[in-house]
């Protein structure tokens, strides 16, 4: 289990507490929130801090304004929804540093919640003072000076070293909020100290975006099922004709190296043994089940075949932990969602009936599992994309490292 500082380790009573959240919620053209999941994710931490009598100061990025004010990226529009969800009037300051932020902080009473304006309106959030990638420590200090304690509750930005994350974490002692704590405990349980045997299911479009992930996983898993477009690259590397399929032929050596490493590490690799080949990349395009060496040059593989699905389900039967990233086929285009839907439903069933620990995250995975109606059946689904993938790649995440660092 990763060792990090938690909220229970600090006395927040009467203290000014900066909480880094991810309120980058999707909104429609009129600014109306279309999915408030990210606001809700912060509620347990906010309830805990209010209960303990902390003065709460919320920090978040929103969109990509890249250091300039943009009314469309203001966080002020979130105040009514956030107030409704928390059940008190949330205060707002139109800057996250300087006199406006300071006077709003000075007015806080125990249990109050203040939302500061978008951190990305300042260049120093993601650039050094001379415009390089990184952050400006002076900007981080201006935010840190507003508070006594720093709580990080946004796993989705843990892979980034920016002013409102690592920058403040270099100045104030940082503690994980309850949402981050939950993410870390679940992911760590699946990857660092899993109940064995442990299986990975990695799909999605391309090998190129997941090379590090595949390399790391073969050293940790007992079994790895590879699906989606990226399986085509492996099949082609092994000499199969993949026709007009999405395939990275230039990654032949990389694919073979991953297979070789898997053998050395005793990680069983499950590649498709049959596929669904279609005549076009479109919903309901004419298609057929075919064997690996039967794909015609004008056909493209858009999903795993039924025998492949059976192999994957059998492997799930043998495993006690499952880590899932990426769909098994072009799931947005029915019926090429079949393998993804069947495997996701089966995993959820195994969780319910057999105590399988199934953890998923990254990119399109959440959408694919929701589409399958299986998301609620998983043990845990990470809300983070890039951070989840980097964790699976075995990288140290700056936002997590700062929770371990003593100042
Ligand atoms: P990723 O973001 O890497 O997880 O990739 C997800 C995307 O991969 C989805 O949009 C799928 O439609 C796509 N995908 C999965 N399998 C295939 C395939 N066989 N051919 C083309 N695209 C695919």
């Amino acid at each position: 289990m990763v060792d990090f500082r938690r909220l229970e380790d600090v006395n927040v009573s009467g203290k000014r507490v900066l909480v880094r959240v991810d309120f980058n919620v999707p909104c429609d053209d009129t600014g109306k929130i279309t999915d408030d999941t990210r606001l809700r994710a912060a509620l347990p931490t906010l309830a805990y801090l209010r209960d303990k009598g902390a003065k709460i100061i919320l920090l978040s990025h929103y969109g990509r304004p890249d250091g300039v004010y943009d009314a469309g990226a203001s966080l002020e529009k979130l105040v009514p929804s956030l107030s409704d969800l928390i059940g008190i009037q949330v205060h707002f300051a139109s800057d996250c540093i300087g006199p406006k932020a300071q006077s709003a902080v000075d007015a806080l009473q125990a249990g109050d919640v203040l939302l500061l304006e978008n951190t990305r309106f300042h260049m120093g959030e993601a650039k050094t003072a001379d415009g390089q990638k990184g952050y400006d420590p002076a900007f981080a200090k201006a935010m840190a000076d507003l508070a006594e304690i720093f709580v990080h509750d946004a796993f989705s930005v843990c892979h980034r070293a920016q002013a409102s994350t690592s920058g403040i974490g270099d100045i104030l002692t940082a503690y994980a909020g309850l949402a981050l704590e939950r993410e870390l405990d679940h992911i760590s349980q699946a990857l660092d100290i899993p109940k064995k045997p442990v299986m990975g299911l990695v799909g999605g479009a391309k090998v190129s975006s997941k090379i590090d992930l595949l390399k790391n996983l073969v050293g940790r898993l007992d079994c790895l099922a590879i699906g989606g477009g990226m399986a085509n690259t492996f099949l082609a590397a092994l000499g199969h004709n993949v026709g007009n399929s999405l395939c990275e032929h230039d990654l032949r050596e990389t694919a073979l190296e991953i297979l070789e490493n898997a053998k050395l590490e005793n990680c069983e690799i499950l590649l498709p043994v049959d596929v669904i080949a279609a005549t076009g990349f479109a919903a309901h395009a004419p298609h057929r089940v075919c064997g690996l060496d039967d794909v015609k040059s004008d056909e493209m593989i858009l999903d795993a075949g039924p025998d492949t699905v059976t192999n994957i389900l059998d492997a799930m039967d043998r495993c006690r932990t499952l880590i899932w990233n990426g769909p098994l086929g072009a799931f947005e285009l029915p019926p090429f969602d079949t393998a993804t839907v069947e495997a996701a439903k089966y995993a959820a069933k195994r969780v319910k009936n057999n105590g399988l620990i199934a953890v998923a995250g990254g990119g399109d995975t959440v959408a694919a599992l929701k589409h399958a109606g299986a998301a609620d059946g998983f043990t845990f689904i990470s809300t983070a994309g890039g951070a989840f993938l980097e964790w699976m790649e075995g990288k140290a995440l700056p936002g997590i490292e700062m929770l371990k660092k003593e100042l």
Side-chain angles (χ1 to χ4, degrees), residues 215-227:
K215 283 184 176 166
N216 184 44
L217 287 185
V218 294
R220 288 166 165 252
L221 304 176
D222 300 295
C223 170
L224 173 62
I226 300 176

Side-chain angles (χ1 to χ4, degrees), residues 270-277 287-292 301-316 328-329 335-343 346:
L270 290 181
L271 278 169
V273 293
D274 60 348
V275 296
I276 306 294
H287 58 278
R288 65 195 180 99
V289 178
C290 70
L292 291 185
I301 300 170
L302 290 188
D303 202 7
D307 290 345
T308 304
V309 174
T310 302
N311 287 346
I312 291 174
L313 304 194
D314 285 349
M316 284 185 199
L328 286 171
F336 309 112
D337 55 347
T338 307
T340 303
V341 170
E342 281 187 23
Y346 194 74

Side-chain angles (χ1 to χ4, degrees), residues 191 196 198-202 210-226 230 234 254-271 323 392-394:
L191 202 57
K196 290 186 132 281
V198 52
M199 170 180 180
L201 193 160
V202 178
K210 296 187 186 172
I211 292 174
D212 289 343
L213 182 146
L214 292 166
K215 283 184 176 166
N216 184 44
L217 287 185
V218 294
R220 288 166 165 252
L221 304 176
D222 300 295
C223 170
L224 173 62
I226 300 176
M230 70 164 62
F234 284 89
T254 306
L256 293 177
E257 196 186 310
I258 289 168
L259 295 179
E260 190 54 38
N261 283 345
K263 211 177 282 174
L264 294 174
E265 300 278 0
N266 277 328
C267 172
E268 180 193 1
I269 297 283
L270 290 181
L271 278 169
I323 304 170
M392 284 178 77
E393 288 167 4

Side-chain angles (χ1 to χ4, degrees), residues 151-233:
V151 172
H152 194 358
D153 211 19
F155 183 53
S156 55
V157 292
C158 274
H159 56 316
R160 300 216 170 95
Q162 298 188 333
S164 66
T165 56
S166 311
I168 300 174
D170 275 343
I171 301 165
L172 296 175
T173 304
Y175 299 83
L178 299 178
L180 179 56
E181 173 177 329
R182 202 166 159 258
E183 293 257 5
L184 297 185
D185 284 343
H186 274 100
I187 303 175
S188 153
Q189 188 193 36
L191 202 57
D192 301 335
I193 44 159
K195 285 195 175 146
K196 290 186 132 281
V198 52
M199 170 180 180
L201 193 160
V202 178
K206 292 182 169 181
V207 172
S208 51
S209 59
K210 296 187 186 172
I211 292 174
D212 289 343
L213 182 146
L214 292 166
K215 283 184 176 166
N216 184 44
L217 287 185
V218 294
R220 288 166 165 252
L221 304 176
D222 300 295
C223 170
L224 173 62
I226 300 176
M230 70 164 62
N232 301 337
T233 301

Side-chain angles (χ1 to χ4, degrees), residues 41-63:
L43 296 180
T45 295
L46 299 183
Y48 177 95
L49 292 173
R50 291 193 64 228
D51 184 53
K52 301 278 181 212
K55 299 170 181 173
I56 302 162
I57 309 157
L58 297 173
L59 269 181
S60 179
H61 69 287
Y62 189 90

Side-chain angles (χ1 to χ4, degrees), residues 277-296:
T279 53
F281 191 75
H284 307 291
H287 58 278
R288 65 195 180 99
V289 178
C290 70
L292 291 185
D293 290 313
D294 199 19
V295 181
K296 294 192 187 129

